[in-house]
Amino acid sequence: MRARVFVTLKPSVFDPQGTTVADALHTLGYAAVRNVRQGKYFELDIDAQTAEDARKLASEAADKLLANPVIESYRIEVGNA
Amino acid sequence: MRARVFVTLKPSVFDPQGTTVADALHTLGYAAVRNVRQGKYFELDIDAQTAEDARKLASEAADKLLANPVIESYRIEVGNA
């Protein structure tokens, strides 16, 4: 199974990377871009029988290693391949 | 509209960050994790009338700024809010 983990800064946390990307896009002429938030993305290939098992393992991995729960939140999607 | 852009290294490109994360997960006891690829994740809030317009702008932004097309590929999802 493949689990995709998206880690983003919580909305209340200032995101200087995203602000820089937004400024650069404005400089390139993309004024329609209002706001940008940047995060991390992980693809985990997991040996698991069920999607629930894979999600549980990915969730533990995110809690312990991939995300800093003080300032970041995460979202998990599980699928085949 | 909100466009989500996922940027990952192409499969043929070595991903030392992902390898390090996989090794760390193995050390933590998660032997079921076979492989990890790490990438970047962007959420773009875009002033656009249609999802097609938002996707087109996000695609241009990815080509020009968010991804390095030599070694990275990207995927875009568009939705409301």
Side-chain angles (χ1 to χ4, degrees), chain A residues 1-2 11 13 15 31 34 42 44-45 49 55 64 68 72 77-79:
Chain A
M1 310 290 281
R2 172 164 291 180
V13 179
D15 177 8
R34 278 182 305 184
F42 300 89
L44 281 65
D45 290 332
Q49 297 297 319
R55 180 179 294 276
K64 290 192 186 171
N68 175 354
E72 293 173 327
E77 289 176 5
V78 177

Side-chain angles (χ1 to χ4, degrees), chain A residues 6 30 34 39 41 45 60, chain B residues 6 30 34 39 41 45 60:
Chain A
F6 311 94
Y30 298 108
R34 278 182 305 184
Y41 171 57
D45 290 332
E60 286 187 27
Chain B
F6 311 94
Y30 298 109
R34 276 183 306 185
Y41 171 58
D45 289 333
E60 286 186 28

Side-chain angles (χ1 to χ4, degrees), chain A residues 19-38:
Chain A
T19 305
T20 302
V21 170
D23 289 347
L25 287 171
H26 294 161
T27 303
L28 288 171
Y30 298 108
V33 176
R34 278 182 305 184
N35 189 34
V36 177
R37 302 282 292 178
Q38 182 164 359

Side-chain angles (χ1 to χ4, degrees), chain B residues 1 46-54 80:
Chain B
M1 311 288 282
I46 298 176
D47 274 326
Q49 297 298 318
T50 66
E52 287 70 36
D53 287 350
N80 290 308

Side-chain angles (χ1 to χ4, degrees), chain A residues 1-2 4 6-8 20-22 24-25 28 30-48 57 60-61 64-66 75 77, chain B residues 1-2 4 6-8 20-22 24-25 28 30-48 57 60-61 64-66 75 77:
Chain A
M1 310 290 281
R2 172 164 291 180
R4 295 181 173 82
F6 311 94
V7 179
T8 47
T20 302
V21 170
L25 287 171
L28 288 171
Y30 298 108
V33 176
R34 278 182 305 184
N35 189 34
V36 177
R37 302 282 292 178
Q38 182 164 359
K40 290 176 285 185
Y41 171 57
F42 300 89
E43 285 182 354
L44 281 65
D45 290 332
I46 299 175
D47 274 325
L57 198 157
E60 286 187 27
K64 290 192 186 171
L65 187 71
L66 306 180
R75 187 165 56 84
E77 289 176 5
Chain B
M1 311 288 282
R2 171 164 292 180
R4 294 181 174 83
F6 311 94
V7 178
T8 47
T20 301
V21 170
L25 287 172
L28 288 171
Y30 298 109
V33 176
R34 276 183 306 185
N35 189 33
V36 177
R37 303 281 291 178
Q38 182 165 358
K40 290 177 285 185
Y41 171 58
F42 300 89
E43 284 181 354
L44 280 67
D45 289 333
I46 298 176
D47 274 326
L57 198 158
E60 286 186 28
K64 289 192 185 170
L65 185 72
L66 305 180
R75 188 165 56 85
E77 289 175 5

